[in-house]
Amino acid sequence: MSDNDSLSKIVSEIQKCTKCPLHKTRKNAVPGEGPDNARLMFVGEAPGATEDRTGLPFVGRSGKLLVSLLENIGLSREDVYITSILKSRPPKNRSPKKSEIEACFPFLERQINLIKPEIIVLLGGVAISSIIGPWKLSEAHGKFYEGKGQKYFMTYHPAAALRFPKFRDIMMADFAILKTELNI
Ligand code: URA
C-alpha cells in the first residue's frame, strides 16, 4: 500500500480488477460504501444478484435486514462502512473459493488501513474464517476478538437470519452488545 492510497483509488481498481475469473461473470464489481471515518465496518461474504446489478453492497434482502438491525441500535446505513470479502458475485451465489478470497483480500486490507474502524463486524462464517480463522459460529457470535491492534466483533450473516428466524433474535442480541461497546 502506498502512502497516498485512497478509497476512491481502491474503488476504481476493484471496478477494473481481473485478478480472478469472477470478473468474467459479474455485471458490476461491488467495492463497498460508507464514510471514510466510519467507527464501524461491516464485512459480509460476497455480493448477490441485487448487489451485482447495482454495484452497491447489501442492497438486497440481506441488506434490508442489516439496515433494520442497525436502526434498532440507533445507527443508519450511512453511519457505517459496508463491504464484503469478495467484491464480485460468484455465479449462482456459490461459496467463495479460497483462490478468490486470496485474490480479493488485499483490497479489504487497504480499506481497513484507510478507514481504521474502531470495530470490524464480521458477518458470518466466510468473513470470520477469512480474517480470523475457523471458528464455530455458534460459539463465536456475540464475541469480540482482538488481533494485530484491530478489534473485531463476530455475528451471523443476515442471510442466515432470513432463512432461520431464530438467528434474527440472536443477531438482535449481538447488535445490542455492539451498541453497549460503542456507547451509543
Ligand atoms: N451478502 C453479502 O455478503 N454481501 C453483500 O454485499 C450482499 C449480500
Side-chain angles (χ1 to χ4, degrees), residues 14-15 30 41 44 58 61 63 65 68 79 85 91 102 112-114 129 175 178:
I14 291 172
Q15 285 165 342
V30 184
M41 178 190 247
F58 279 99
R61 288 179 67 224
L65 179 53
S68 85
D79 293 324
I85 294 289
E102 281 168 5
I112 293 170
N113 281 334
L114 284 167
S129 64
F175 273 59
L178 204 50

Side-chain angles (χ1 to χ4, degrees), residues 41 53 77 86-88 104 115 118 121 132 168:
M41 178 190 247
R53 197 170 63 241
R77 185 184 166 95
L86 292 192
K87 316 302 193 198
S88 299
C104 225
I115 296 164
E118 220 169 293
V121 182
I132 293 178
R168 182 190 288 251

Side-chain angles (χ1 to χ4, degrees), residues 7 33-41 78-81 111-119 182:
L7 284 178
E33 67 171 358
D36 59 10
N37 61 351
R39 290 181 72 194
L40 271 186
M41 178 190 247
E78 288 71 32
D79 293 324
V80 303
Y81 195 88
Q111 288 170 319
I112 293 170
N113 281 334
L114 284 167
I115 296 164
K116 298 187 171 52
E118 220 169 293
I119 302 172
L182 287 165

Side-chain angles (χ1 to χ4, degrees):
M1 190 188 70
S2 68
D3 284 345
N4 53 14
D5 202 12
S6 71
L7 284 178
S8 56
K9 192 162 170 242
I10 298 171
V11 167
S12 66
E13 283 180 41
I14 291 172
Q15 285 165 342
K16 285 184 286 212
C17 183
T18 57
K19 289 198 180 93
C20 85
L22 295 181
H23 76 276
K24 294 183 205 150
T25 47
R26 73 177 177 226
K27 289 197 184 81
N28 290 289
V30 184
E33 67 171 358
D36 59 10
N37 61 351
R39 290 181 72 194
L40 271 186
M41 178 190 247
F42 285 81
V43 180
E45 178 175 322
T50 318
E51 292 78 20
D52 182 60
R53 197 170 63 241
T54 57
L56 299 170
F58 279 99
V59 287
R61 288 179 67 224
S62 287
K64 290 203 171 69
L65 179 53
L66 177 61
V67 169
S68 85
L69 288 161
L70 282 172
E71 287 173 350
N72 252 318
I73 59 165
L75 292 172
S76 73
R77 185 184 166 95
E78 288 71 32
D79 293 324
V80 303
Y81 195 88
I82 306 177
T83 189
S84 294
I85 294 289
L86 292 192
K87 316 302 193 198
S88 299
R89 182 192 185 203
K92 298 184 183 153
N93 299 341
R94 64 152 170 76
S95 295
K97 294 182 179 170
K98 193 161 173 267
S99 56
E100 294 160 354
I101 294 173
E102 281 168 5
C104 225
F105 208 71
F107 290 127
L108 180 63
E109 288 180 317
R110 287 165 63 191
Q111 288 170 319
I112 293 170
N113 281 334
L114 284 167
I115 296 164
K116 298 187 171 52
E118 220 169 293
I119 302 172
I120 299 176
V121 182
L122 304 175
L123 298 167
V126 169
I128 294 171
S129 64
S130 304
I131 294 187
I132 293 178
W135 199 328
K136 244 173 103 181
L137 252 172
S138 55
E139 285 165 13
H141 84 88
K143 292 198 174 88
F144 292 94
Y145 174 90
E146 289 199 43
K148 293 189 194 145
Q150 178 66 58
K151 188 184 279 187
Y152 301 94
F153 182 71
M154 299 172 283
T155 188
Y156 287 90
H157 192 287
L162 290 173
R163 231 170 297 138
F164 307 104
K166 73 166 182 177
F167 291 128
R168 182 190 288 251
D169 295 340
I170 295 175
M171 287 188 83
M172 276 178 71
D174 287 351
F175 273 59
I177 295 170
L178 204 50
K179 177 181 162 79
T180 306
E181 181 76 11
L182 287 165
N183 246 318
I184 46 175

